[in-house]
Amino acid sequence: MNYPVEKKFQHFISLATNDFIYPEDRSDNYLIIEISMFEGRSKEAKKHLIQLIFTYIQQQCGISPHDVEITIFETPKVSWGIRGQNAEELKLDYQVNV
């Protein structure tokens, strides 16, 4: 995705077991990953990102891809407010259209 390391942020939501209802064919490792980003990445770049996440989670955490769901939410820059301004007006130091 050619995304600068310093531009990656995480937000974790932990739920008590009783508050997290998930499909019966998933294990207790069931994980939902939601990614918010500006629109513009190619279909191939998004497919590659999703596959890398499945691979790394299995290799580094031992969680089966069957227990992981990934959703990418893309919105236009005009729908983002960052550092006191509309993101459409930001000068980015990275490429979005990859």
Side-chain angles (χ1 to χ4, degrees), residues 37-41 46 73-78 80 96-97:
M37 66 173 79
F38 297 147
E39 65 184 1
R41 275 66 175 208
K46 291 180 279 189
F73 295 96
E74 290 184 289
T75 54
K77 289 182 198 174
V78 72
W80 292 66
V96 172
N97 297 322

Side-chain angles (χ1 to χ4, degrees), residues 3 11 14 21-22 26-27 29 31 33 42 56 67 77:
Y3 204 62
H11 175 111
S14 179
I21 301 169
Y22 51 88
R26 310 300 167 84
S27 79
N29 291 324
L31 179 65
I33 299 172
S42 69
Y56 289 150
D67 281 332
K77 289 182 198 174

Side-chain angles (χ1 to χ4, degrees), residues 24-38:
E24 291 181 15
D25 66 336
R26 310 300 167 84
S27 79
D28 289 342
N29 291 324
Y30 181 64
L31 179 65
I32 298 172
I33 299 172
E34 296 179 343
I35 302 169
S36 297
M37 66 173 79
F38 297 147

